[in-house]
Amino acid sequence: MNEEVVNKVLLFIQKCEKKFLDNIFLEEDSIEAQEYIHVLEQIKKENDSTMINATIKKLDLIIKQIHTVNYHNNHIENSLNLVSLSVTEFIISLVKEKHLVDPLLIARYAYIELAKVLYYNISYVKQTDSLIKNKICNATVNVEKEKIFSSVVCTQWLQLYTYILKQFGIDVIKRSIPGQDHVWGEIKLNEDHIIIVDATDYINSSIDLSNAKSMSPTVGFVVLPEKYSNLKLYDVFNNPYNKELAKKVSEYYKLNREIDITLHYITKKGYPVEKIIEENELFQYPNAVITNNKDNEYFFHKTLNFFQKLKIPNNMDGYEIFAYYYLFIKKLPLNIQAHIFLKTMYVDSFSYQQSKLRKTFLHAPKEYLKYLDGLIYSKYYKYLSEDESNTFFEQMKKGIVKQEQIRDLIAKHEMIIAQINRNMNFYYAINRLQFYEPQTCDTVKIQIYEPLIGTKVFHTQKEFDEFQKTIVLK
């Protein structure tokens, strides 16, 4: 009987792995996996075998993978960064489960999977004070405990990536240009080749924290001859004087496609975004000019419909979606592109995002307490002094705080967080996608996207202006 159950579980695991390869992550599979764990735990009491333990661990990882991919989509607690598993522990587990031994495959797989579960700290982008920028760059990151879906900048991303690869005997060299804040990584693959890794920089109008989430071609990972050591990819593709160098480097990105096929991220048919572009007539005339008014109207309204129905990749935030939308916009006819306005709106994080979450959780103190714990220790704790952080958190952790004291303590420590926010200027990104009628240039639709709300559409400029009054733009 036990053998029959185990075989049934192993068949279930195989089916899940096949679904994962097809980018299918179903919550019902998570529930079924949990049921199997319960059954196996009962069997384990009588037969504590290595195989039973390994199977339970595998089911647990399947559950975590499904929950991670479906972040933002199904559960309120996921919106509050309550995934308990550390981001490095999670990626290390994925690499081990993949049974990878080739350093190139490990480096590539860890690069993509890590980018899927981190966000860029856009507060850095909006700072004007170099001292504040340095403080964000130099903020402490605990590589063993940093949470999934934390916000990072290049320095913290590189520390996390370096720690993960170190577990597999791969060294990542920190690279930078004197006088600049940005850092990236370099791996010595062999005597002749290096790997450049840079997931957080906007390279050629694209960023890999977005590309990984949409499984699009990446721009910050490339295997190059050793002579290109210490090359900053941003400068290669964003400096008009480097056109010849950019052309040469671009050729080396072809290897990424072969690696991604090997890792089963894609098939020979290409990346998902390439399939969408190839199969839609909208994108068959890139950079063309449509002179016929009837055709122009047809393409314009078809473009409206396309972006309205376009599925947002799991976990993508309001900053990253700019790069995703741009992948499609740049393939449109020129005069269709000219009637689309794409912009990232930066709003005050504390007054906007946290106030929304606070309204949701004021009636659920225990959940709010968990959230506040995560909030302090996933972001703001980096800027708290020891005295400020320890008193409240240690009382919570030891259970000293009584239920009736929670609200007062929350209010008190929100004031501390508010002060930190005023000093650090934290931001939250909302994407704005606006369409103008080709003939009159009147606004036809404004579509905004933010993770907590999803997609919201305004059909007039006046409707959008009323919405803008509810946020503090920066």
Side-chain angles (χ1 to χ4, degrees), residues 27 105 203 236 255 260 263 315 320 341 347 396 402 410 428 430:
E27 280 297 333
L105 295 183
I203 300 164
V236 172
L255 179 60
D260 290 347
L263 290 170
N315 310 329
E320 296 163 347
F341 177 68
V347 300
M396 290 193 298
K402 295 180 181 178
I410 286 174
Y428 176 71
I430 300 175

Side-chain angles (χ1 to χ4, degrees), residues 138-204:
N138 297 326
T140 304
V141 57
N142 187 324
V143 293
E144 295 181 352
K145 295 183 179 180
E146 192 73 7
K147 286 186 176 184
I148 289 176
F149 302 117
S150 292
S151 295
V152 299
V153 292
C154 57
T155 48
Q156 293 131 18
W157 172 84
L158 185 60
Q159 289 177 60
L160 295 169
Y161 184 72
T162 300
Y163 174 80
I164 292 167
L165 263 62
K166 190 71 174 177
Q167 310 312 304
F168 302 97
I170 302 171
D171 292 326
V172 181
I173 304 166
K174 180 179 177 180
R175 295 297 192 196
S176 64
I177 293 177
Q180 296 184 13
D181 287 337
H182 186 67
V183 300
W184 66 95
E186 186 175 299
I187 301 166
K188 187 174 177 61
L189 189 59
N190 51 47
E191 289 302 314
D192 301 316
H193 292 87
I194 58 168
I195 309 173
I196 291 179
V197 287
D198 191 352
T200 63
D201 213 359
Y202 240 97
I203 300 164
N204 201 17

Side-chain angles (χ1 to χ4, degrees), residues 287-299:
N287 299 321
V289 176
I290 300 174
T291 55
N292 183 286
N293 287 340
K294 188 175 180 180
D295 290 341
N296 197 10
E297 285 287 336
Y298 170 78
F299 268 83

Side-chain angles (χ1 to χ4, degrees), residues 401-419:
V401 180
K402 295 180 181 178
Q403 188 75 15
E404 58 269 19
Q405 295 175 295
I406 290 176
R407 289 180 188 273
D408 290 341
L409 287 168
I410 286 174
K412 176 184 175 183
H413 283 268
E414 278 181 345
M415 291 301 292
I416 295 174
I417 292 173
Q419 183 59 46

